[in-house]
Amino acid sequence: WIETIRHAVVGRGINLLDTAPWYGHGISEIVIGYALDTILANDETGNDKIKVFDEDDTSIATTTTPHKQTWDSPRRTRYGTLPRTNLIINTKIGRYESDPLKQFDFGYETTMQSVQRSLQRMNCGYIDVLQLHDPEFLLGMPMTSSSEKNGMEMLLTETIPALLECKTKGWTKGLGITGYPLEVQHEILVRCGETFGGDDGMVVVFDQSLVYCHCNLHDMSLFRDRSFAISERIRRDSSNGDCDYDTDIRPTTITTTAQQSFAK
């Protein structure tokens, strides 16, 4: 595996590696890390080392208490020749264990610990794009108690503030979303604009959106589904569960859709 990754990057010019803690339950990141030790050059300037911030820094954009870094920056020596800036390394947060009951965790502390663990495993200095991993499952999960936060509330008060803090700390350069339903990603983007975008809603939280299977011979919904057009709304038909693409979309109805899909 290590040699395959090295051959792809050095021999074939592949310049983007996308992984996640979910892939192999950590093994993917670990293998990539050992491969990167043979590919990437050490940065003597320290530009690719994790920045250590004052834990009391009030400039960190978060609604929670800033996370205390639990590990030191110096790590394994790299002995490759490729500059870190020549390779894009993306990973994710939110999906971890094989046990369905423990598979997803979008909490603040878990997110911060996951990012640090990913950086340790891959020994890459920083992450180029840190991504929400399949948040549609979080929106579809039923609450187990009256005190538990619903999925969107969890994202807006814990997960996304943690991601913004990671970006402020220099642990990642960009933020992204991955998943399948276009409607869920649209809902998250709209709610982020309302929550973090200021008075004009123009602050961009996420730098990229990664979806799959919506542009092929079997599914052209990337072009038919106008979820991402702000002027278009989708109304859920309560009788049969179909969506009418000529009417309005309400974020709350998309959450309902996700919950029913999760139940199935």
Side-chain angles (χ1 to χ4, degrees):
W1 292 350
I2 293 173
E3 185 54 38
T4 298
I5 296 171
R6 175 176 172 78
H7 174 70
V9 174
V10 178
R12 296 298 181 181
I14 298 297
N15 63 357
L16 188 153
L17 300 176
D18 183 273
T19 185
W22 166 249
Y23 303 158
H25 311 298
I27 294 177
S28 174
E29 289 185 331
I30 292 171
V31 171
I32 287 176
Y34 285 124
L36 292 179
D37 289 347
T38 72
I39 296 171
L40 296 179
N42 271 328
D43 186 352
E44 300 299 332
T45 66
N47 290 331
D48 71 342
K49 293 183 178 180
I50 300 303
K51 301 174 184 178
V52 180
F53 281 72
D54 183 353
E55 294 166 349
D56 297 323
D57 186 358
T58 57
S59 68
I60 295 175
T62 178
T63 58
T64 61
T65 302
H67 180 83
K68 295 181 181 294
Q69 185 164 304
T70 58
W71 50 279
D72 297 325
S73 176
R75 294 181 302 280
R76 301 187 306 268
T77 300
R78 300 192 301 237
Y79 48 92
T81 59
L82 188 72
R84 171 65 183 88
T85 53
N86 287 20
L87 189 62
I88 299 170
I89 303 171
N90 299 346
T91 193
K92 308 174 185 72
I93 60 92
R95 193 170 189 175
Y96 305 102
E97 303 295 335
S98 59
D99 183 346
L101 297 179
K102 301 178 181 179
Q103 190 170 131
F104 295 94
D105 190 338
F106 289 85
Y108 171 82
E109 280 297 332
T110 299
T111 299
M112 299 300 291
Q113 292 170 9
S114 176
V115 176
Q116 293 182 83
R117 188 165 52 246
S118 294
L119 288 166
Q120 281 184 306
R121 287 169 171 170
M122 295 191 289
N123 193 30
C124 57
Y126 59 87
I127 296 164
D128 286 278
V129 183
L130 183 61
Q131 303 160 106
L132 287 176
H133 198 169
D134 296 338
E136 61 265 27
F137 288 95
L138 174 66
L139 298 187
M141 288 180 179
M143 292 185 293
T144 58
S145 67
S146 59
S147 61
E148 185 180 359
K149 297 179 180 179
N150 64 40
M152 184 56 69
E153 184 182 4
M154 172 70 75
L155 286 179
L156 295 177
T157 62
E158 295 198 32
T159 318
I160 294 172
L163 296 180
L164 292 172
E165 185 177 339
C166 289
K167 191 172 182 179
T168 301
K169 288 177 177 290
W171 296 357
T172 183
K173 288 188 172 183
L175 302 177
I177 313 174
T178 72
Y180 178 76
L182 296 174
E183 299 89 351
V184 170
Q185 295 208 12
H186 174 263
E187 178 183 358
I188 293 172
L189 294 172
V190 170
R191 295 294 296 273
C192 281
E194 295 171 348
T195 304
F196 303 100
D199 295 335
D200 56 6
M202 296 302 294
V203 174
V204 176
V205 174
F206 290 102
D207 304 285
Q208 78 172 33
S209 169
L210 178 63
V211 297
Y212 56 93
C213 296
H214 292 295
C215 181
N216 55 61
L217 293 176
H218 302 286
D219 186 339
M220 295 293 287
S221 56
L222 183 62
F223 302 97
R224 294 197 310 267
D225 186 344
R226 292 175 284 180
S227 295
F228 286 95
I230 299 302
S231 61
E232 292 293 328
R233 305 277 181 180
I234 295 177
R235 175 177 55 82
R236 182 165 185 80
D237 186 328
S238 60
S239 62
N240 57 22
D242 292 334
C243 290
D244 182 355
Y245 288 89
D246 296 324
T247 52
D248 284 351
I249 179 175
R250 302 301 303 175
T252 52
T253 64
I254 300 304
T255 301
T256 302
T257 305
Q259 289 173 342
Q260 292 184 352
S261 297
F262 183 82
K264 293 179 182 179

